[in-house]
Amino acid sequence: MFKNNRLIQFINKGDVFSPYIFFPAIFAIYFFMSLFDFGRIQYFKAYNNIFLPVIVGLIAYYIAVFLIQKLGWKFPKFGLSFLKGKTIYFVYLLTLVGLVSYLAMLFTGQIGITDESVRRNLDPKLNFLSSLLWFGGLLIVFYGVVGSGGRLSKKQKISYGVIIALILVAFILMGYRTPIAIMFFTSLIAFHYLVKRVKTSWIILMVAVIGISFSLFGLFRVLTEDTSKEFNTRQGPQIEEEHQQEEAITEKQEAIRKVNETPKWVRALTETMVTGRIVISKIEDYTEDHGYLNGELHKSILGTVLPGEQKSPRMIVTEAANDYAVKQVGEYVTRPGRTTTPTVIGQLYMDGGYVGIVIGMGIFGIILSLLYNRMRQTTTKSYQTIAYGFVTTIFMISIHTGLLDLIFLLMIGFAIIATSIEQDKRRDGQFNRLS
């Protein structure tokens, strides 16, 4: 029935992971789903129009992609050919550092899935370095896939599958969805180009299943919290006198009643997107009163590794969003001790308004197009495919989380440079060391 469906056949013909389709499609779906708020927008009085900055960002992205595609520009090779064939040793070293850091957390009882209070209080240095485990693991596997020209033996398939599965389980224990999502989608994109083309209809189905699973996983984490711990308290802020008036109390109760009309598991399906929309609205309120941060938010990314007490970029966003939520409705967007994610649009808007959005989304489009052009030039069964899959995935995740983690920026830089140093097997006429 579906096999001969013309619409399905048309969908399957396109290169779904091209810069023109995948990232902007997820971007549009994310903000479209935020319309299904089940009363939370009314509850938080997040009435600002977020769709104008979203549309501006999407237009800026497409203009950048079109121009780079038209000009045919590609990432350079960086003139580091003397390191060719040696980048794998750096990957092994990074993976080893990540493994040691992860085991140190594991043996000290930092298993984040057991409780939110644990997940939110992992050792920051070990947590930072443990990310290198999944990053290095991905590179090791797909360096091997490239080296084999995408033609994997049964032994290789089992070995690579076990490596990915073990690392996935390891980070499920930490309770973090982000590395799990990055590993899944990077693997999917790399598999699509390096091993076997996945039909677009199947990709759409997988994205839907993963999206629903991650939403329900978030609900599971909340429902299993130990509320006897102070960190997990559900108590709201001390409401100011103006919010204690009978009219305000009645309005709030009515908003709560409307929200509770929908079962928790249904609300959980769009809660991530709705929270993103609420945060952007509060950021708009903040910038209207205080002005834009003019780059200070992005400068604070480096502050997370500097000595002394530093305020992380997400803490800056959280304080701004919570401040206005408490003032307006006497409620937190994000409970104390936690940080909120600003979405990529909120992040760019907070620092530079519409100018920041145009520049930031334009950079996203430029980077993805440069990588895509390089990948297509060297054939898709090349090292550049690894970088393209990884960066595309990080950018996709940042639609919700924002791109405010130094470790991710370093990973992007390493992936681009390392894969540009290596050449594809077809051009060199030989296999990579891992083959």
Side-chain angles (χ1 to χ4, degrees):
M1 176 181 174
F2 293 106
K3 190 174 182 180
N4 298 319
N5 185 283
R6 289 185 179 181
L7 177 60
I8 298 296
Q9 290 177 339
F10 174 77
I11 290 173
N12 285 331
K13 285 181 180 179
D15 184 2
V16 69
F17 291 119
S18 79
Y20 280 113
I21 300 176
F22 187 67
F23 175 81
I26 300 297
F27 183 88
I29 290 169
Y30 177 91
F31 288 105
F32 171 75
M33 293 301 292
S34 73
L35 292 172
F36 300 94
D37 62 280
F38 305 111
R40 289 190 69 214
I41 295 299
Q42 178 183 339
Y43 178 70
F44 280 99
K45 297 184 178 179
Y47 298 130
N48 288 320
N49 179 12
I50 73 159
F51 291 99
L52 181 57
V54 167
I55 292 170
V56 168
L58 199 56
I59 292 172
Y61 171 85
Y62 268 119
I63 290 174
V65 170
F66 174 78
L67 288 177
I68 298 300
Q69 294 290 310
K70 191 77 173 176
L71 294 169
W73 288 355
K74 301 171 285 292
F75 259 112
K77 298 175 185 176
F78 299 105
L80 298 171
S81 57
F82 66 93
L83 289 174
K84 181 185 169 189
K86 299 180 179 64
T87 59
I88 185 60
Y89 299 124
F90 290 101
V91 175
Y92 284 144
L93 178 61
L94 294 176
T95 307
L96 179 60
V97 171
L99 178 60
V100 171
S101 301
Y102 177 85
L103 291 175
M105 289 199 299
L106 187 67
F107 291 131
T108 54
Q110 299 182 59
I111 310 300
I113 199 172
T114 59
D115 194 271
E116 189 77 354
S117 62
V118 176
R119 187 176 76 87
R120 296 282 185 170
N121 290 285
L122 299 175
D123 183 289
K125 291 180 180 179
L126 291 177
N127 192 31
F128 180 92
L129 294 174
S130 69
S131 299
L132 298 174
L133 174 59
W134 59 258
F135 176 65
L138 278 176
L139 291 184
I140 288 172
V141 167
F142 288 110
Y143 263 49
V145 174
V146 173
S148 65
R151 296 181 293 274
L152 303 178
S153 65
K154 185 176 181 180
K155 182 179 179 181
Q156 285 176 314
K157 289 178 182 178
I158 294 174
S159 299
Y160 295 153
V162 168
I163 291 173
I164 295 294
L166 287 176
I167 298 175
L168 276 172
V169 171
F171 283 93
I172 288 174
L173 290 177
M174 290 294 102
Y176 275 111
R177 292 176 292 184
T178 300
I180 300 169
I182 293 173
M183 288 187 67
F184 175 83
F185 284 104
T186 301
S187 299
L188 176 61
I189 296 172
F191 180 89
H192 175 82
Y193 286 121
L194 294 174
V195 182
K196 184 178 180 181
R197 189 177 184 275
V198 183
K199 291 183 178 181
T200 304
S201 52
W202 279 104
I203 292 172
I204 293 172
L205 178 61
M206 282 189 281
V207 169
V209 170
I210 291 298
I212 293 172
S213 300
F214 275 34
S215 295
L216 295 179
F217 181 54
L219 176 63
F220 169 79
R221 288 192 318 203
V222 173
L223 294 178
T224 55
E225 286 181 351
D226 182 357
T227 54
S228 65
K229 295 183 179 180
E230 185 178 354
F231 185 84
N232 294 326
T233 180
R234 308 290 171 83
Q235 185 176 355
Q238 292 296 319
I239 301 174
E240 298 176 8
E241 186 176 342
E242 60 179 320
H243 292 293
Q244 296 177 0
Q245 297 174 4
E246 184 176 344
E247 183 179 346
I249 293 174
T250 302
E251 182 181 354
K252 187 172 182 178
Q253 289 174 338
E254 176 61 25
I256 293 173
R257 184 195 63 78
K258 184 175 180 180
V259 170
N260 290 335
E261 285 178 352
T262 307
K264 283 184 178 181
W265 72 268
V266 176
R267 300 201 306 266
L269 298 178
T270 62
E271 184 173 5
T272 296
M273 290 72 88
V274 174
T275 299
R277 181 179 167 192
I278 292 168
V279 171
I280 294 176
S281 181
K282 299 309 173 187
I283 286 174
E284 289 181 330
D285 288 334
Y286 175 87
T287 54
E288 185 176 343
D289 290 343
H290 300 279
Y292 306 120
L293 297 187
N294 299 320
E296 291 300 318
L297 182 64
H298 288 82
K299 286 181 184 177
S300 67
I301 295 174
L302 294 174
T304 55
V305 294
L306 294 177
E309 186 175 347
Q310 305 289 340
K311 187 177 290 187
S312 72
R314 283 205 178 84
M315 184 57 69
I316 294 173
V317 173
T318 302
E319 289 180 357
N322 272 348
D323 182 50
Y324 276 79
V326 171
K327 284 180 181 176
Q328 294 165 351
V329 298
E331 188 58 85
Y332 297 123
V333 175
T334 301
R335 284 178 283 168
R338 295 159 167 79
T339 57
T340 194
T341 49
T343 78
V344 68
I345 290 296
Q347 165 187 343
L348 297 170
Y349 189 89
M350 192 171 191
D351 239 356
Y354 286 100
V355 173
I357 290 173
V358 169
I359 293 173
M361 292 297 291
I363 291 174
F364 272 35
I366 290 170
I367 291 175
L368 288 182
S369 293
L370 291 173
L371 286 171
Y372 188 74
N373 289 348
R374 173 64 71 188
M375 179 185 74
R376 301 297 291 184
Q377 181 200 45
T378 57
T379 78
T380 57
K381 296 190 187 322
S382 66
Y383 294 99
Q384 285 70 38
T385 299
I386 304 171
Y388 180 71
F390 179 72
V391 176
T392 297
T393 300
I394 291 290
F395 284 179
M396 179 198 73
I397 297 296
S398 74
I399 293 171
H400 172 64
T401 65
L403 191 52
L404 295 170
D405 296 284
L406 180 61
I407 188 68
F408 288 161
L409 295 176
L410 294 175
M411 287 176 177
I412 288 172
F414 181 87
I416 291 173
I417 294 173
T419 56
S420 294
I421 292 171
E422 303 294 346
Q423 298 297 317
D424 66 288
K425 185 194 78 171
R426 184 175 301 179
R427 176 167 295 182
D428 287 354
Q430 60 184 6
F431 291 99
N432 179 263
R433 291 178 182 272
L434 287 178
S435 60

